[in-house]
Structure formats: C-alpha cells, structure tokens
Amino acid sequence: QVQLVESGGGLVQAGGSLRLSCAASGSTSSINVIGWYRQGPGNERTLVASINNGGSTNYADSVKGRFTISRDNAKNTVYLQMNSLKPEDTAVYYCRALGRRLYWGQGTQVTVTS
C-alpha cells in the first residue's frame, strides 16, 4: 500500500506562485510514476505533470513553461512548482502514484483570483 498526502494549496492572485508537495509513504519502492492531476468545477480530472523513476517529465500543454515537477527521493516527496498562475488554474490538485496499483491523494485546493 502507498499513502499520498498533498499540501501547499491555497489562495493566490493571478501571476503569483505556489508550490505543492506530495509526500508518499508505505511501499514507495513500488512506485514507477507520480503525477499531478487537477479537477476544476464541472470538469474532468486531467493530467498536469508527471515524473517517472528515471526523472523524465511530462506536462500538459496548458502549463508548459509555468509549472515544474520535481522529486526528492530521500524525502519520498514530489513537488509541483506553479508560477505565473492564472484563474483557469483554479482546481483541486491531486497526486497520483502508479505502482502495483493506482493510488490517489486526497487533493488540495488551489484558487487563483484575477
């Protein structure tokens, strides 16, 4: 089993920055990929960014150049640095880990005001 705990969400003005953290515990050695997803009001949950064990990253087109995903293996934590935030980035952000099965965190709210 893997447990994921997100933190770092909040309220920020457009143009501001936030850093989200996803702390993993449990059978973390089984994780192959960790990603950040988001779900805005009335929208489906979609991929924001992901990083695999080799350090390769993948980003949604809408966040390229503004968001950066990184990982600290010693802390079993994945970060999402979000810069130049826009109101359309408002959503609940979820951490997802893929290992022997799929794991989700509980989500953290990000609200960007204009």
Side-chain angles (χ1 to χ4, degrees):
Q1 285 281 41
V2 173
Q3 295 79 41
L4 303 172
V5 178
E6 302 101 330
S7 61
L11 180 67
V12 65
Q13 287 188 331
S17 298
L18 284 174
R19 188 178 80 157
L20 305 183
S21 299
C22 172
S25 60
S27 302
T28 57
S29 60
S30 68
I31 297 173
N32 297 314
V33 181
I34 290 189
W36 285 96
Y37 287 70
R38 67 185 180 188
Q39 187 168 17
N43 294 331
E44 295 183 350
R45 195 174 297 188
T46 59
L47 174 70
V48 176
S50 65
I51 186 167
N52 66 17
N53 283 348
S56 295
T57 59
N58 183 41
Y59 295 93
D61 288 343
S62 59
V63 306
K64 284 181 180 176
R66 300 189 297 124
F67 292 10
T68 303
I69 190 169
S70 61
R71 62 193 297 165
D72 184 333
N73 291 329
K75 296 183 178 179
N76 288 323
T77 300
V78 171
Y79 303 99
L80 185 68
Q81 178 66 44
M82 306 187 295
N83 299 328
S84 302
L85 282 161
K86 304 175 181 180
E88 51 263 44
D89 294 318
T90 295
V92 178
Y93 283 70
Y94 297 90
C95 182
R96 189 191 89 157
L98 177 62
R100 296 189 184 96
R101 47 159 289 192
L102 204 57
Y103 302 93
W104 289 96
Q106 82 288 352
T108 185
Q109 177 70 46
V110 172
T111 302
V112 184
T113 60
S114 57

